[in-house]
Amino acid sequence: MAGRYRADPQPDHQRGKLHHPVNSGDGTMSSRLQSARCLSICRLVERREQSWRAVVSGGAGYIGSHLVWALVERHWSVLVIDDLSTGLRQNLPGEAQLLVADMASTTAGMAIEDFSPDIIFQFAAKIRVDESFERPDLYWDVNLRRSGELFAKSLDKGVRHFVLSSTAAVYGEPDVDFVTEDTPARPISPYGRSKLASEWLLHDLCEKAGATYTVLRYFNVAGADAKLRTGPRLGTGNLISVAIEAMLGQRAELPIFGTDYDTPDGSCIRDFIHVTDLVDIHIRSAERLLRGGSSVCFNCGYGKGYSVKQIAERARQLASHPFRVSHKGRRKGDIVSMVANPERMKQNLGWAPLHEDLDFLLLTGFRWASKGLALAPV
């Protein structure tokens, strides 16, 4: 059973680029940020004999639930706040408390005050590029307004550290082979624009309050917990989800949208990161903040691109059921090529990937789904 709760430079709007304090790993701190660092160090000393306390907003979802398992294994105290619109309570460990509520609700604010977390991980968001064109109002409401209310209420309750789940979609169509955090942010979808705006808002709120944050810009996340305690949902429409459905025999074909792009094989190129490696980045980012680290933005990827055709072909080779690969027209909002330069994140966090393997990425997701655990969202 889960517990009793069932939680420096300014953004340059003209250039469409967000500069984060200490993006290079150093810089001059304002007096308020220096105070926040002192507070973090004091709290570290106070908690030396006990666990950290974290609120994970959206923690019953795909990436959030993997983080919750990892935090519990490290003896953190965890409160998950999730409305369960797409998350699943059965994917959470019993040691985590769960509050079923909207992240912007008064109930969530009261729970955060009562729980008194050291840090908040914010995952709750709408994340489908195609849907964002159809329902931009929903994406701005959830990704900006409601996220902003969570940030503001948490700051009012004394929280001084945040880790925000963001996306490489903020870069739009980059004109470089490898995207750094200094690549101009020019999103081309309501999804990307709403997530970039949430980054800006968190920056401004934290700067005013003397708080610190880390923004993590995911490239493409896939795979599942190797112990099969949690994993991705099918039916989400992303490439890996569709590939796994085809591998299981749940669909007869895997469509490739666009085969005439200016890439080696004509299909889009993506940088995939295994969810377990991404969780490690979250924990290292949190520990860095709690030890007095300053605000920063990191790209989260391996720095290696796979084409959609390569993914489709490898999935077909690993499949338990044969399936066709079909070629379709281009899809609105798809970015031609997006590969991370993760060096800043590696240097600041001392991080190195443990699961940089396409087969492991596909097969862990496949094994999770083959157990009948990857329920489609309602």
Side-chain angles (χ1 to χ4, degrees):
M1 290 289 291
R4 62 190 179 95
Y5 294 115
R6 284 297 216 216
D8 306 39
Q10 294 289 333
D12 186 343
H13 298 266
Q14 286 70 41
R15 296 178 58 193
K17 178 178 178 181
L18 174 63
H19 298 273
H20 288 270
V22 206
N23 259 358
S24 60
D26 57 16
T28 303
M29 302 291 293
S30 69
S31 59
R32 277 182 292 197
L33 289 178
Q34 288 175 332
S35 297
R37 293 185 70 179
C38 292
L39 177 61
S40 295
I41 294 169
C42 290
R43 295 182 85 170
L44 175 63
V45 173
E46 291 171 3
R47 293 196 184 278
R48 189 170 292 165
E49 302 299 326
Q50 51 188 301
S51 67
W52 295 110
R53 301 176 69 79
V55 166
V56 184
S57 173
Y62 170 40
I63 303 170
S65 62
H66 282 83
L67 175 67
V68 172
W69 276 101
L71 292 175
V72 165
E73 285 183 331
R74 289 162 174 78
H75 308 293
W76 286 54
S77 297
V78 180
L79 169 62
V80 174
I81 299 178
D82 200 302
D83 64 6
L84 300 184
S85 58
T86 56
L88 297 170
R89 71 172 73 226
Q90 58 262 40
N91 289 351
L92 294 171
E95 297 89 340
Q97 300 179 53
L98 171 62
L99 171 66
V100 181
D102 186 282
M103 61 179 162
S105 66
T106 301
T107 302
M110 293 172 62
I112 290 170
E113 182 175 28
D114 183 49
F115 190 73
S116 187
D118 298 292
I119 194 165
I120 288 183
F121 296 90
Q122 161 57 341
F123 291 95
K126 295 296 181 182
I127 61 171
R128 293 187 59 162
V129 172
D130 55 348
E131 183 185 54
S132 75
F133 286 102
E134 299 168 2
R135 303 192 65 187
D137 54 335
L138 174 65
Y139 276 67
W140 282 98
D141 178 60
V142 174
N143 295 350
L144 182 61
R145 186 187 68 80
R146 293 192 213 176
S147 291
E149 290 189 25
L150 171 68
F151 301 148
K153 288 178 180 177
S154 300
L155 288 164
D156 287 344
K157 306 301 183 184
V159 180
R160 286 298 176 265
H161 307 293
F162 299 83
V163 176
L164 173 61
S165 164
S166 192
T167 171
V170 302
Y171 295 115
E173 289 279 10
D175 55 5
V176 293
D177 293 331
F178 296 93
V179 178
T180 73
E181 295 82 356
D182 295 322
T183 299
R186 301 185 182 116
I188 61 174
S189 67
Y191 166 56
R193 287 189 284 269
S194 65
K195 291 298 289 183
L196 181 60
S198 71
E199 293 184 17
W200 287 341
L201 180 57
L202 179 60
H203 168 85
D204 289 347
L205 290 172
C206 285
E207 185 174 62
K208 177 184 177 183
T212 57
Y213 65 87
T214 297
V215 168
L216 298 178
R217 291 175 174 169
Y218 308 164
F219 279 60
N220 292 268
V221 188
D225 173 53
K227 298 178 182 178
L228 302 184
R229 298 169 298 185
T230 185
R233 285 184 135 175
L234 298 183
T236 60
N238 67 60
L239 173 60
I240 299 298
S241 173
V242 172
I244 290 173
E245 290 165 12
M247 291 169 69
L248 289 168
Q250 296 180 4
R251 58 167 66 222
E253 69 175 26
L254 191 162
I256 296 177
F257 295 97
T259 58
D260 59 348
Y261 289 104
D262 185 18
T263 61
D265 66 13
S267 64
C268 294
I269 295 174
R270 296 290 180 267
D271 185 348
F272 287 90
I273 183 170
H274 194 278
V275 63
T276 303
D277 279 335
L278 183 61
V279 162
D280 186 34
I281 293 170
H282 281 76
I283 294 174
R284 289 170 183 263
S285 295
E287 291 174 343
R288 176 183 172 277
L289 291 176
L290 291 166
R291 287 173 170 81
S294 53
S295 296
V296 71
C297 173
F298 292 137
N299 285 341
C300 299
Y302 289 144
K304 179 179 181 180
Y306 290 98
S307 74
V308 175
K309 285 185 177 179
Q310 287 177 311
I311 298 289
E313 180 57 30
R314 191 57 187 147
R316 187 158 56 178
Q317 293 169 358
L318 296 172
S320 57
H321 295 80
F323 61 86
R324 301 186 307 275
V325 175
S326 62
H327 295 172
K328 309 288 187 180
R330 295 186 180 190
R331 188 170 53 180
K332 184 178 181 180
D334 279 349
I335 296 166
V336 179
S337 179
M338 184 73 76
V339 181
N341 178 335
E343 290 309 308
R344 181 173 294 164
M345 180 266 295
K346 288 182 176 181
Q347 292 172 9
N348 277 270
L349 300 182
W351 176 85
L354 297 177
H355 304 296
E356 190 178 356
D357 180 82
L358 180 58
D359 285 6
F360 185 77
L361 186 148
L362 286 167
L363 288 173
T364 52
F366 173 79
R367 289 166 185 153
W368 168 259
S370 67
K371 293 175 67 70
L373 300 171
L375 304 176
V378 296

